[in-house]
Amino acid sequence: MPNSRPNLHALCLLPAGLTGRVCELRGDESFCQRVREMGFGEASLVTKISGTTTSLCLVNGTRIALNHCAAMSILVERLPAGAR
Amino acid sequence: MKLPDHITLPAGKRPAKGPDRTPIYAMVGNPNCGKTTLFNALTGLRQKVGNYPGVTVEKKIGITYSQHGRPIQLIDLPGAYSLAARSPDEAVLRDVLLGRREDTPQPDRIICVVDASNLERNLYLVHQLLDLGRPLIIALNMMDMAATAGMRIDAKALERSLGVPVIPCEAVNGRGLVELKLAMSRIELPLARHRWDVPAAVAPAVAELQASLTGNDQRPPLVARAEALLLLTDFDTIRVAGSRPLSARTLGVLAQWRERWSAEKTDWSGALIHSRYAAINTLCTGVILRGRDQGPSTSDRLDAVLCHSVWGWLVFAAIMAVMFFSIFSLAEYPMNWIDAHVAALGTWVKGAMAPGDLRDLITDGIISGVGGIVVFLPQILILFFFVGLLESTGYMARAAFIMDRPMSKVGLNGRSFIPLLGSYACAIPGIMATRTIENAKDRLVTILVAPLMSCSARLPVYLLMIATLLPSTTVPTSTKAGIMLLMYAFGTLGAFGFAWLFKRYLFQGGVPHMIMELPAYQPPRFKEITRHMLERGWLFLKNAGTIILAISIVLWFLTTYPKHPDPAATPTEQIAHSFAGRTGHLLEPVIKPLGFDWRIGIGLVTSFAAREVFVSSMGVIFGVEGTDNDPAPLRDALRAAHWPSGAVLFTPLVCFTLMVYYVFAMQCMSTVAVVKRETNSWRWPLFQIAYMTGTAWLVCFVIYQAGRALGY
Ligand SMILES: Nc1nc2c(ncn2[C@@H]2O[C@H](COP(=O)(O)OP(=O)(O)O)[C@@H](O)[C@H]2O)c(=O)[nH]1
């Protein structure tokens, strides 16, 4: 996926155990809105727990599972380990 | 721009409109916030489950009593993260609250259940509800979970900043219920005090939409304002039958603003969501006190194993094995018991009544028809016990997570797995279990393919055919088991193949994104599980008691009339003479290319009641009594059957083809009835009959004709 910023990863590529900040949502309008309404929008922090195809993450203290397609559409900026 | 300070209508005035009118309260909340538990705790068994007319959304209504003993009607609305609808369930929620539904009056008060352990996200919905200006009570549920997560929530502070009653509670332990009822019983509710800033650039759009909604859609000003705000994030894209549509004028205004924003490339809906969250963050500063980070919780540690790419699969496989084993082997005892008692009841009625058509109708039509379906009750209860257990411990979401990848290969999501697995026992509970699938298209596809999984009612047919096909003495058991497994494989492949086909061609453009919350693990609550199990069991019995009863009577009529002119005719002659027999003859040209004659045709007609009826019909047609326990005499009779030309009827090829026919054909009226109920229309069950039976015919035609050409 071509990235405008080099340190942006799709959420599914964020290594397990690391935290990232959501920078950009791709995908259709209704998906972006749902993600934002779930408190998962731009600037929120996500910690990846596991998975590359189906991802498991921690957002705001809630565990959320995303399928590959959803995790590909969320671009995060990787934060240094222990940033949380 | 500010919302007015006091946006709540005087609460006491509404319910008092007529002295006899029961006030209506709606319960809303995010998924998994404990809304159902709270609803059950408030209403007990005084509940009614139905459907919203025109949509497949479940409508749950219960009665509770105020502190003064006045009845209150509670509507349990579908769970949602936001009033901006993305699915039919959410559209129903939105339309009920906005008073857009014709079948449901606008609720007098709203009880919003909030998960305290996840307050910020839950407050998003609350924030939208506050805009509505309706009397609101917040039930701050799961206080125990919040405490476990190291949070302290100051409910009083939240109440002060919002201005509406905030009642801390724990629905599972019944804590806070009394306080909640007290709040519900108050004649006047305090007014919402919260204010927030709508981004200035959106204000003109809100104002124009609000004016149009008040002028053209007859909305009261406050509701119009809330609806205007909602339309700007929602655009009214999802509409459901039974809801009043917006006026053309309002839709015009909306389209105009939408066009303008997309030309300007501004994302105002994103900005609105953002400003709501900003307001919520300010609200929460004095309300949530987080303790020190406590490190990974028990749920985190469990997830490390249960969602692991190797261990997760092993545990999942083990759980499924136990579930499958219980459905098949544990259920056998109660099933035998029911079977024996149904038979005994039939015999008793036969002895107690004078011979005649009425007696035969009761014994051969009603008792054996309904009894043949009720035997599946134990399997249904066991399946729902497991579904309930997995749901209440929080494992169900993990199972869906694990299965998501393989299921996505055919375009389904992980939640379809359990219903499909359950369909190996019986398609009915499987179809009823599809209610856990949120995506309407995925749910429908799962319902459409579920009956292809080989259910236990096919077993007697398979067993009889295998017995007829292979002499028991010379052929090793493994060959027979192999044929049986082959049938299961056909069914499973068929189900996945059709799921893929339907998702690709019939339900294109379904949302491929899945986001699912994984609730924290909890110890199982057997009271809730039992309740869930009994509720589903009862729904099933109600079905058996109505539609299945009716079809049993019709089928009985078809095999009994017209009467054979000779009163001493044997049952074989009678059935040949009946409408069913004639239908068999009529069917013969259609099924002859599959190698079936009219007598098999009768079996196909009668086994529409339930597949296993095929065996007893064959017993009647070929004049063999007592076919249930020992297939040997019937097997021999079938082997001796011939075409008028003298050719053997049940050749190995025909036996095999017949089994394949039962793999694919929709031969089950109860499934038809349940699909009708679950999809709320006749369209899908009829489609299912057409595509499944059509496939069965085609596949059998190919097998039989190819087999013949190869000299079998
Ligand atoms: N610990 C705890 N669990 C709860 C509470 N209320 C509900 N639950 C559990 O949360 C799960 C989801 O509840 P449910 O009522 O099905 O949620 P719904 O999706 O909002 O209808 C169930 O397993 C309940 O037992 C509570 O106050 N405390």
Side-chain angles (χ1 to χ4, degrees), chain B residues 387-430:
Chain B
V387 168
L389 191 68
L390 299 184
E391 287 264 18
S392 88
T393 49
Y395 185 76
M396 189 64 121
R398 274 77 181 178
F401 168 76
I402 288 177
M403 281 312 292
D404 191 66
R405 197 171 147 202
M407 297 299 280
S408 67
K409 298 262 188 296
V410 294
L412 291 174
N413 76 46
R415 296 222 172 230
S416 304
F417 183 74
I418 301 251
L420 290 182
L421 186 74
S423 300
Y424 278 120
C426 175
I428 297 168

CSV table of all heavy atoms in Angstrom, one decimal, chain B residues 387-430:
chain,number,residue,atom,x,y,z
B,387,VAL,N,-24.5,-22.7,23.4
B,387,VAL,CA,-24.5,-21.3,22.8
B,387,VAL,C,-24.5,-20.3,24.0
B,387,VAL,O,-23.8,-19.3,24.1
B,387,VAL,CB,-25.6,-21.1,21.8
B,387,VAL,CG1,-25.8,-19.6,21.5
B,387,VAL,CG2,-25.4,-21.8,20.5
B,388,GLY,N,-25.4,-20.6,24.9
B,388,GLY,CA,-25.6,-19.7,26.1
B,388,GLY,C,-24.3,-19.7,26.9
B,388,GLY,O,-23.9,-18.6,27.4
B,389,LEU,N,-23.7,-20.8,27.1
B,389,LEU,CA,-22.5,-20.9,27.9
B,389,LEU,C,-21.4,-20.1,27.3
B,389,LEU,O,-20.7,-19.3,27.9
B,389,LEU,CB,-22.1,-22.4,28.0
B,389,LEU,CG,-21.0,-22.8,29.0
B,389,LEU,CD1,-21.5,-22.6,30.4
B,389,LEU,CD2,-20.5,-24.2,28.8
B,390,LEU,N,-21.2,-20.3,26.0
B,390,LEU,CA,-20.2,-19.6,25.3
B,390,LEU,C,-20.4,-18.1,25.2
B,390,LEU,O,-19.5,-17.3,25.4
B,390,LEU,CB,-20.0,-20.1,23.8
B,390,LEU,CG,-19.7,-21.6,23.7
B,390,LEU,CD1,-19.5,-22.0,22.2
B,390,LEU,CD2,-18.4,-22.0,24.5
B,391,GLU,N,-21.7,-17.7,25.1
B,391,GLU,CA,-22.0,-16.3,25.1
B,391,GLU,C,-21.7,-15.7,26.5
B,391,GLU,O,-21.1,-14.6,26.6
B,391,GLU,CB,-23.5,-16.1,24.8
B,391,GLU,CG,-23.9,-16.3,23.3
B,391,GLU,CD,-23.9,-15.0,22.5
B,391,GLU,OE1,-23.3,-14.0,23.0
B,391,GLU,OE2,-24.4,-15.1,21.4
B,392,SER,N,-22.2,-16.4,27.5
B,392,SER,CA,-22.1,-15.7,28.8
B,392,SER,C,-20.7,-15.7,29.4
B,392,SER,O,-20.4,-14.9,30.2
B,392,SER,CB,-23.1,-16.4,29.8
B,392,SER,OG,-22.5,-17.4,30.5
B,393,THR,N,-19.9,-16.6,29.0
B,393,THR,CA,-18.5,-16.5,29.4
B,393,THR,C,-17.7,-15.6,28.6
B,393,THR,O,-16.6,-15.2,29.0
B,393,THR,CB,-17.8,-17.9,29.3
B,393,THR,OG1,-18.0,-18.4,28.0
B,393,THR,CG2,-18.3,-18.9,30.4
B,394,GLY,N,-18.2,-15.2,27.5
B,394,GLY,CA,-17.5,-14.2,26.6
B,394,GLY,C,-16.7,-15.0,25.6
B,394,GLY,O,-16.0,-14.4,24.8
B,395,TYR,N,-16.7,-16.3,25.6
B,395,TYR,CA,-15.9,-17.1,24.6
B,395,TYR,C,-16.5,-17.0,23.2
B,395,TYR,O,-15.7,-17.1,22.2
B,395,TYR,CB,-15.8,-18.5,25.0
B,395,TYR,CG,-14.8,-19.3,24.1
B,395,TYR,CD1,-13.5,-19.1,24.2
B,395,TYR,CD2,-15.3,-20.2,23.1
B,395,TYR,CE1,-12.6,-19.8,23.4
B,395,TYR,CE2,-14.5,-20.8,22.3
B,395,TYR,CZ,-13.1,-20.6,22.4
B,395,TYR,OH,-12.2,-21.2,21.5
B,396,MET,N,-17.8,-16.8,23.0
B,396,MET,CA,-18.4,-16.8,21.7
B,396,MET,C,-17.7,-15.8,20.8
B,396,MET,O,-17.4,-16.1,19.6
B,396,MET,CB,-19.9,-16.4,21.8
B,396,MET,CG,-20.6,-16.6,20.6
B,396,MET,SD,-20.7,-18.3,20.1
B,396,MET,CE,-22.4,-18.6,20.1
B,397,ALA,N,-17.4,-14.6,21.3
B,397,ALA,CA,-16.8,-13.6,20.4
B,397,ALA,C,-15.4,-14.1,20.0
B,397,ALA,O,-14.9,-13.8,18.9
B,397,ALA,CB,-16.7,-12.3,21.2
B,398,ARG,N,-14.7,-14.8,20.9
B,398,ARG,CA,-13.4,-15.4,20.5
B,398,ARG,C,-13.5,-16.5,19.5
B,398,ARG,O,-12.7,-16.6,18.6
B,398,ARG,CB,-12.7,-16.0,21.8
B,398,ARG,CG,-11.9,-15.0,22.6
B,398,ARG,CD,-12.8,-14.1,23.4
B,398,ARG,NE,-12.1,-13.1,24.2
B,398,ARG,CZ,-12.7,-12.3,25.0
B,398,ARG,NH1,-14.1,-12.3,25.1
B,398,ARG,NH2,-12.1,-11.4,25.7
B,399,ALA,N,-14.5,-17.3,19.6
B,399,ALA,CA,-14.7,-18.4,18.6
B,399,ALA,C,-15.0,-17.7,17.3
B,399,ALA,O,-14.4,-18.2,16.3
B,399,ALA,CB,-15.9,-19.2,19.0
B,400,ALA,N,-15.7,-16.6,17.3
B,400,ALA,CA,-16.0,-15.9,16.0
B,400,ALA,C,-14.7,-15.4,15.5
B,400,ALA,O,-14.4,-15.4,14.3
B,400,ALA,CB,-17.0,-14.8,16.2
B,401,PHE,N,-13.9,-14.9,16.4
B,401,PHE,CA,-12.6,-14.3,16.0
B,401,PHE,C,-11.7,-15.3,15.3
B,401,PHE,O,-11.1,-15.1,14.3
B,401,PHE,CB,-11.9,-13.7,17.2
B,401,PHE,CG,-10.5,-13.3,17.1
B,401,PHE,CD1,-10.2,-12.1,16.4
B,401,PHE,CD2,-9.5,-14.1,17.6
B,401,PHE,CE1,-8.8,-11.8,16.3
B,401,PHE,CE2,-8.2,-13.7,17.5
B,401,PHE,CZ,-7.8,-12.6,16.8
B,402,ILE,N,-11.6,-16.5,16.0
B,402,ILE,CA,-10.8,-17.6,15.5
B,402,ILE,C,-11.3,-18.1,14.1
B,402,ILE,O,-10.5,-18.3,13.2
B,402,ILE,CB,-10.7,-18.7,16.5
B,402,ILE,CG1,-9.9,-18.3,17.7
B,402,ILE,CG2,-10.1,-20.0,15.9
B,402,ILE,CD1,-9.9,-19.3,18.8
B,403,MET,N,-12.6,-18.2,14.0
B,403,MET,CA,-13.1,-18.8,12.8
B,403,MET,C,-13.3,-17.8,11.6
B,403,MET,O,-13.7,-18.1,10.5
B,403,MET,CB,-14.5,-19.4,13.0
B,403,MET,CG,-14.5,-20.8,13.7
B,403,MET,SD,-13.4,-21.9,12.9
B,403,MET,CE,-14.2,-22.2,11.3
B,404,ASP,N,-13.0,-16.5,12.0
B,404,ASP,CA,-13.3,-15.5,11.0
B,404,ASP,C,-12.5,-15.7,9.7
B,404,ASP,O,-13.0,-15.6,8.6
B,404,ASP,CB,-13.0,-14.1,11.5
B,404,ASP,CG,-13.5,-13.0,10.6
B,404,ASP,OD1,-14.7,-13.0,10.4
B,404,ASP,OD2,-12.7,-12.3,10.0
B,405,ARG,N,-11.2,-16.1,9.9
B,405,ARG,CA,-10.3,-16.3,8.7
B,405,ARG,C,-10.8,-17.4,7.7
B,405,ARG,O,-11.1,-17.1,6.6
B,405,ARG,CB,-8.9,-16.5,9.1
B,405,ARG,CG,-8.0,-16.2,8.0
B,405,ARG,CD,-6.6,-16.3,8.5
B,405,ARG,NE,-5.7,-16.8,7.5
B,405,ARG,CZ,-4.5,-17.3,7.7
B,405,ARG,NH1,-4.1,-17.4,9.0
B,405,ARG,NH2,-3.8,-17.7,6.7
B,406,PRO,N,-11.0,-18.6,8.2
B,406,PRO,CA,-11.5,-19.6,7.3
B,406,PRO,C,-12.9,-19.3,6.8
B,406,PRO,O,-13.1,-19.5,5.6
B,406,PRO,CB,-11.6,-20.9,8.2
B,406,PRO,CG,-11.3,-20.5,9.6
B,406,PRO,CD,-10.6,-19.2,9.5
B,407,MET,N,-13.8,-18.7,7.6
B,407,MET,CA,-15.1,-18.4,7.1
B,407,MET,C,-15.1,-17.3,6.0
B,407,MET,O,-15.9,-17.3,5.1
B,407,MET,CB,-16.0,-18.0,8.2
B,407,MET,CG,-16.3,-19.1,9.3
B,407,MET,SD,-17.0,-20.6,8.6
B,407,MET,CE,-18.7,-20.1,8.6
B,408,SER,N,-14.1,-16.4,6.2
B,408,SER,CA,-14.1,-15.3,5.2
B,408,SER,C,-13.7,-15.8,3.8
B,408,SER,O,-14.0,-15.1,2.8
B,408,SER,CB,-13.1,-14.2,5.7
B,408,SER,OG,-11.8,-14.8,5.6
B,409,LYS,N,-13.1,-17.0,3.7
B,409,LYS,CA,-12.8,-17.5,2.4
B,409,LYS,C,-14.1,-17.7,1.5
B,409,LYS,O,-14.0,-17.7,0.3
B,409,LYS,CB,-12.1,-18.9,2.5
B,409,LYS,CG,-10.8,-18.8,3.3
B,409,LYS,CD,-9.6,-18.8,2.3
B,409,LYS,CE,-8.3,-18.9,2.9
B,409,LYS,NZ,-7.9,-17.8,3.8
B,410,VAL,N,-15.2,-18.0,2.2
B,410,VAL,CA,-16.4,-18.1,1.4
B,410,VAL,C,-17.3,-16.9,1.6
B,410,VAL,O,-18.5,-16.9,1.3
B,410,VAL,CB,-17.2,-19.4,1.8
B,410,VAL,CG1,-16.5,-20.6,1.4
B,410,VAL,CG2,-17.6,-19.4,3.3
B,411,GLY,N,-16.7,-15.8,2.2
B,411,GLY,CA,-17.4,-14.6,2.3
B,411,GLY,C,-18.3,-14.5,3.5
B,411,GLY,O,-19.0,-13.5,3.7
B,412,LEU,N,-18.2,-15.4,4.4
B,412,LEU,CA,-19.0,-15.3,5.7
B,412,LEU,C,-18.1,-14.8,6.8
B,412,LEU,O,-16.9,-14.8,6.6
B,412,LEU,CB,-19.6,-16.7,6.1
B,412,LEU,CG,-20.7,-17.2,5.1
B,412,LEU,CD1,-21.0,-18.6,5.6
B,412,LEU,CD2,-21.9,-16.3,5.2
B,413,ASN,N,-18.7,-14.4,7.9
B,413,ASN,CA,-17.8,-14.1,9.0
B,413,ASN,C,-17.9,-15.1,10.1
B,413,ASN,O,-18.7,-16.0,10.1
B,413,ASN,CB,-18.0,-12.6,9.5
B,413,ASN,CG,-19.3,-12.5,10.3
B,413,ASN,OD1,-19.5,-13.3,11.2
B,413,ASN,ND2,-20.0,-11.5,10.0
B,414,GLY,N,-17.0,-15.0,11.1
B,414,GLY,CA,-16.8,-16.0,12.1
B,414,GLY,C,-18.0,-16.4,12.9
B,414,GLY,O,-18.1,-17.5,13.3
B,415,ARG,N,-19.0,-15.5,12.9
B,415,ARG,CA,-20.2,-15.8,13.7
B,415,ARG,C,-21.0,-16.8,13.1
B,415,ARG,O,-21.9,-17.3,13.7
B,415,ARG,CB,-21.0,-14.5,13.9
B,415,ARG,CG,-20.3,-13.5,14.7
B,415,ARG,CD,-21.2,-12.9,15.7
B,415,ARG,NE,-20.4,-12.0,16.6
B,415,ARG,CZ,-20.5,-12.1,17.9
B,415,ARG,NH1,-21.3,-12.9,18.5
B,415,ARG,NH2,-19.8,-11.3,18.7
B,416,SER,N,-20.8,-17.1,11.8
B,416,SER,CA,-21.7,-18.1,11.1
B,416,SER,C,-21.3,-19.5,11.5
B,416,SER,O,-22.0,-20.4,11.2
B,416,SER,CB,-21.5,-17.9,9.6
B,416,SER,OG,-21.8,-16.6,9.2
B,417,PHE,N,-20.1,-19.6,12.1
B,417,PHE,CA,-19.7,-21.0,12.3
B,417,PHE,C,-20.5,-21.8,13.3
B,417,PHE,O,-20.9,-23.0,12.9
B,417,PHE,CB,-18.2,-21.0,12.9
B,417,PHE,CG,-17.7,-22.3,13.0
B,417,PHE,CD1,-17.3,-23.1,11.9
B,417,PHE,CD2,-17.5,-22.9,14.3
B,417,PHE,CE1,-16.8,-24.3,12.0
B,417,PHE,CE2,-17.0,-24.2,14.4
B,417,PHE,CZ,-16.6,-24.9,13.3
B,418,ILE,N,-20.9,-21.3,14.4
B,418,ILE,CA,-21.6,-22.1,15.4
B,418,ILE,C,-23.0,-22.5,14.9
B,418,ILE,O,-23.4,-23.6,15.0
B,418,ILE,CB,-21.7,-21.3,16.7
B,418,ILE,CG1,-20.3,-21.0,17.3
B,418,ILE,CG2,-22.6,-22.0,17.7
B,418,ILE,CD1,-19.9,-21.8,18.4
B,419,PRO,N,-23.7,-21.5,14.2
B,419,PRO,CA,-25.0,-22.0,13.6
B,419,PRO,C,-24.8,-23.1,12.6
B,419,PRO,O,-25.6,-24.0,12.6
B,419,PRO,CB,-25.5,-20.7,12.9
B,419,PRO,CG,-24.9,-19.6,13.7
B,419,PRO,CD,-23.6,-20.1,14.2
B,420,LEU,N,-23.8,-23.0,11.8
B,420,LEU,CA,-23.6,-24.1,10.8
B,420,LEU,C,-23.2,-25.4,11.5
B,420,LEU,O,-23.7,-26.5,11.2
B,420,LEU,CB,-22.5,-23.7,9.8
B,420,LEU,CG,-22.9,-22.6,8.9
B,420,LEU,CD1,-21.8,-22.3,7.9
B,420,LEU,CD2,-24.2,-22.9,8.1
B,421,LEU,N,-22.4,-25.3,12.6
B,421,LEU,CA,-22.1,-26.5,13.3
B,421,LEU,C,-23.3,-27.1,13.9
B,421,LEU,O,-23.6,-28.3,13.9
B,421,LEU,CB,-21.0,-26.2,14.3
B,421,LEU,CG,-20.5,-27.4,15.1
B,421,LEU,CD1,-19.5,-28.2,14.1
B,421,LEU,CD2,-19.7,-27.1,16.3
B,422,GLY,N,-24.1,-26.3,14.5
B,422,GLY,CA,-25.4,-26.8,15.2
B,422,GLY,C,-26.3,-27.4,14.2
B,422,GLY,O,-27.1,-28.3,14.5
B,423,SER,N,-26.2,-27.0,12.9
B,423,SER,CA,-27.1,-27.5,11.9
B,423,SER,C,-26.8,-29.0,11.6
B,423,SER,O,-27.6,-29.7,11.0
B,423,SER,CB,-27.0,-26.7,10.6
B,423,SER,OG,-27.4,-25.4,10.9
B,424,TYR,N,-25.7,-29.5,12.0
B,424,TYR,CA,-25.4,-30.9,11.9
B,424,TYR,C,-26.4,-31.7,12.7
B,424,TYR,O,-26.7,-32.9,12.4
B,424,TYR,CB,-24.0,-31.3,12.3
B,424,TYR,CG,-23.0,-31.0,11.2
B,424,TYR,CD1,-21.9,-30.2,11.4
B,424,TYR,CD2,-23.0,-31.7,10.0
B,424,TYR,CE1,-20.9,-29.9,10.5
B,424,TYR,CE2,-22.1,-31.5,9.0
B,424,TYR,CZ,-21.0,-30.6,9.3
B,424,TYR,OH,-20.1,-30.4,8.3
B,425,ALA,N,-26.8,-31.1,13.8
B,425,ALA,CA,-27.8,-31.8,14.7
B,425,ALA,C,-29.2,-31.6,14.0
B,425,ALA,O,-29.9,-32.5,13.8
B,425,ALA,CB,-27.8,-31.2,16.1
B,426,CYS,N,-29.5,-30.3,13.8
B,426,CYS,CA,-30.8,-30.0,13.3
B,426,CYS,C,-30.7,-28.6,12.8
B,426,CYS,O,-30.2,-27.7,13.5
B,426,CYS,CB,-31.9,-30.2,14.4
B,426,CYS,SG,-33.5,-29.7,13.8
B,427,ALA,N,-31.2,-28.3,11.6
B,427,ALA,CA,-31.1,-27.0,11.0
B,427,ALA,C,-31.9,-26.0,11.8
B,427,ALA,O,-31.6,-24.8,11.8
B,427,ALA,CB,-31.6,-27.0,9.6
B,428,ILE,N,-32.9,-26.4,12.6
B,428,ILE,CA,-33.8,-25.4,13.3
B,428,ILE,C,-33.0,-24.7,14.3
B,428,ILE,O,-33.0,-23.4,14.3
B,428,ILE,CB,-35.0,-26.2,13.8
B,428,ILE,CG1,-35.8,-26.7,12.6
B,428,ILE,CG2,-35.9,-25.2,14.6
B,428,ILE,CD1,-36.9,-27.6,13.0
B,429,PRO,N,-32.4,-25.3,15.3
B,429,PRO,CA,-31.6,-24.5,16.2
B,429,PRO,C,-30.5,-23.8,15.6
B,429,PRO,O,-30.2,-22.6,16.0
B,429,PRO,CB,-31.1,-25.5,17.2
B,429,PRO,CG,-31.1,-26.8,16.5
B,429,PRO,CD,-32.3,-26.8,15.6
B,430,GLY,N,-29.9,-24.3,14.5
B,430,GLY,CA,-28.8,-23.6,13.8
B,430,GLY,C,-29.4,-22.3,13.3
B,430,GLY,O,-28.7,-21.3,13.5
